[in-house]
Amino acid sequence: MKQGIKQQSILLFEKKGFSETSIQDIVEALGVTKGTFYYYFTSKEQLLMDIHLGYIDDLLERQQKIQQSQLSNRKKLEELVALLITDIANHGPSGKVFFREMRHLCEENAVEVKAKREKFRKNLERIISDGIAEHEFRQGLEPEMIAFAILGVTNWSYQWFNPTGGISADRLAGIYSDLILNGIV
Amino acid sequence: MKQGIKQQSILLFEKKGFSETSIQDIVEALGVTKGTFYYYFTSKEQLLMDIHLGYIDDLLERQQKIQQSQLSNRKKLEELVALLITDIANHGPSGKVFFREMRHLCEENAVEVKAKREKFRKNLERIISDGIAEHEFRQGLEPEMIAFAILGVTNWSYQWFNPTGGISADRLAGIYSDLILNGIV
DNA sequence: AATTTCATACTAACTAGTTAGTATGTTCAG
DNA sequence: CTGAACATACTAACTAGTTAGTATGAAATT
């Protein structure tokens, strides 16, 4: 039942937003009562934290596998872009909640999640700066700004990309990797 | 007073979110009462719509000026990126509200705003496809996907870019234009 | 085998507080 | 003296969270 509440909440939070979804809404969708909710979660915010950690911890773990591989920095970057894009197909609603509802976490939890987000970003930045040092990428780039740009491209996809639509996740990842590596000129 | 309410609302919506900001909060920050608010606005949602239109209409207008110029497509693209990035410095709070709180618009208003957002995106797409046709950009690109990518890079900046921080809006715009045009390899 | 004990997984009813919106009244400039 | 620009006081609906209690089944004891 705990997983059921969590899954249902993700769907409702995605559709209506965190504040606009009452605990009543969640439990009614499952045919249980509020007591059930508070049997498994101590607060609405703890549930949100649970969703956040489930998302970012999984991403960090998969990022680490790429980082520890023996691939070139260029290939690592491509893999990372593919990881982020294909994740939309697999955990789209989770991701949307993650990107939109962080402000509803309490200070303490927000700090923890922010730290993990930054860790992910710094790991990406590392691939860029390593790639520059090893002459896989151009000299003179600003790794931090490039990392932000890449995250912008991929994370923004959550706003519009529909994996069941005209283009597949793999193909989109390819297009994005090509753009980041080669530009449009 | 109407403008004052709007400006104050933007600041509060940015900091706390739309649902978390009560009309009481808004009027108290201005030292007036709820009667004043409902004299100028018929509902909280209408105020949000007002903020949305103020933002997107301004952007569309400035985009049109770029589009109607005699610049090359490459230069138009650079100007557009600069427009979006420098806008953060000038209308940051407005933009954040625009990107985050659209789901609180009623169906009818959401459709109107969405149409204008798409118009902006289609205009950008047009620059890309014109540039390809005129051999300023590479052949074989997917203009729609490139447009989404560019919007991702620029719009994501709202999440992290602090214009008073270590890097200026102009410089960031330059870095982004360079990345989009030339890639990192 | 029968019975007591105890934990799990809930429910129904409640509290205490907040919210958007409204109805009506007041002030004051032209 | 009229209407624009407010203020006051209110309501109906909704909210997160609490509490006391219960059905069920499994384990322990007799």
Side-chain angles (χ1 to χ4, degrees):
Chain A
M1 175 58 58
K2 191 178 179 183
Q3 276 306 305
I5 291 173
K6 195 173 157 184
Q7 289 311 310
Q8 187 62 248
S9 302
I10 290 171
L11 294 178
L12 288 173
F13 289 167
E14 183 215 350
K15 192 162 60 176
K16 312 204 303 167
F18 178 77
S19 295
E20 292 67 31
T21 303
S22 68
I23 292 170
Q24 203 58 243
D25 291 338
I26 297 165
V27 295
E28 260 170 32
L30 292 165
V32 294
T33 59
K34 254 166 49 163
T36 308
F37 179 90
Y38 283 99
Y39 177 74
Y40 291 109
F41 298 95
T42 65
S43 70
K44 196 183 177 186
E45 194 252 338
Q46 195 223 54
L47 163 65
L48 183 63
M49 184 60 174
D50 218 75
I51 294 171
H52 267 78
L53 286 182
Y55 184 79
I56 188 66
D57 282 342
D58 177 63
L59 265 192
L60 273 171
E61 198 177 312
R62 292 160 72 198
Q63 187 191 42
Q64 225 143 32
K65 273 187 195 150
I66 294 173
Q67 219 119 14
Q68 287 163 358
S69 72
Q70 298 303 313
L71 298 168
S72 67
N73 288 297
R74 180 196 170 119
K75 194 73 190 150
K76 278 181 184 173
L77 185 61
E78 286 178 357
E79 292 277 328
L80 207 51
V81 169
L83 166 63
L84 288 167
I85 298 291
T86 54
D87 214 56
I88 300 176
N90 303 328
H91 311 98
S94 256
K96 280 186 192 171
V97 172
F98 180 77
F99 289 123
R100 287 194 320 210
E101 313 289 358
M102 199 171 72
R103 110 182 66 111
H104 297 109
L105 293 174
C106 70
E107 188 57 25
E108 190 191 336
N109 285 337
V111 165
E112 186 182 339
V113 171
K114 248 185 188 168
K116 293 192 173 186
R117 282 177 85 142
E118 270 174 35
K119 188 177 171 189
F120 189 93
R121 179 171 62 81
K122 287 285 177 192
N123 283 343
L124 169 57
E125 196 180 319
R126 186 69 191 273
I127 294 179
I128 311 290
S129 53
D130 282 357
I132 296 170
E134 295 165 28
H135 292 83
E136 288 181 60
F137 304 144
R138 279 198 280 146
Q139 302 305 298
L141 294 171
E142 302 237 24
E144 190 176 14
M145 298 301 130
I146 304 295
F148 273 127
I150 293 169
L151 290 175
V153 172
T154 53
N155 292 346
W156 193 252
S157 308
Y158 281 86
Q159 306 262 354
W160 61 269
F161 179 52
N162 174 12
T164 64
I167 186 167
S168 76
D170 282 346
R171 186 150 156 56
L172 182 63
I175 291 174
Y176 278 175
S177 285
D178 173 55
L179 170 65
I180 294 161
L181 293 169
N182 305 314
I184 66 175
V185 174
Chain B
M1 177 57 58
K2 190 177 179 182
Q3 276 305 307
I5 292 174
K6 196 173 156 184
Q7 290 310 311
Q8 186 64 247
S9 302
I10 290 171
L11 294 179
L12 289 173
F13 288 169
E14 184 216 351
K15 192 162 59 174
K16 312 204 303 168
F18 178 75
S19 294
E20 291 68 31
T21 303
S22 68
I23 292 170
Q24 203 58 244
D25 291 339
I26 297 165
V27 295
E28 260 170 32
L30 292 164
V32 293
T33 60
K34 261 169 45 161
T36 308
F37 179 91
Y38 282 99
Y39 177 74
Y40 291 108
F41 298 95
T42 66
S43 70
K44 195 183 177 185
E45 194 251 340
Q46 195 221 55
L47 161 66
L48 183 64
M49 183 60 174
D50 219 75
I51 294 171
H52 268 77
L53 286 182
Y55 184 80
I56 187 67
D57 283 342
D58 176 63
L59 265 192
L60 272 171
E61 200 177 309
R62 293 160 71 198
Q63 187 190 43
Q64 224 143 33
K65 273 187 195 151
I66 294 173
Q67 218 120 15
Q68 286 163 359
S69 72
Q70 298 303 312
L71 299 168
S72 67
N73 289 297
R74 180 194 169 122
K75 193 75 190 147
K76 278 182 184 170
L77 185 62
E78 286 177 356
E79 291 276 328
L80 207 52
V81 169
L83 166 63
L84 288 167
I85 297 293
T86 55
D87 214 56
I88 299 176
N90 303 328
H91 310 98
S94 257
K96 280 186 192 173
V97 172
F98 181 77
F99 288 124
R100 287 194 321 209
E101 314 289 359
M102 198 170 74
R103 108 182 67 109
H104 298 109
L105 293 174
C106 70
E107 188 57 26
E108 190 191 336
N109 285 338
V111 165
E112 187 182 338
V113 171
K114 249 185 188 169
K116 294 193 173 185
R117 281 177 85 141
E118 270 174 34
K119 189 177 172 189
F120 189 92
R121 179 170 62 81
K122 287 284 178 193
N123 285 341
L124 170 57
E125 195 179 320
R126 187 67 191 275
I127 295 178
I128 310 290
S129 53
D130 282 357
I132 297 170
E134 294 165 28
H135 292 82
E136 288 181 62
F137 303 143
R138 278 198 280 147
Q139 303 304 297
L141 294 173
E142 301 237 25
E144 190 177 14
M145 298 302 129
I146 302 295
F148 273 126
I150 292 169
L151 290 175
V153 172
T154 53
N155 292 345
W156 193 253
S157 308
Y158 281 87
Q159 305 261 354
W160 61 269
F161 179 52
N162 174 13
T164 64
I167 185 167
S168 76
D170 283 346
R171 184 150 157 59
L172 182 63
I175 291 174
Y176 278 175
S177 284
D178 174 55
L179 170 66
I180 293 160
L181 292 170
N182 305 315
I184 64 174
V185 174

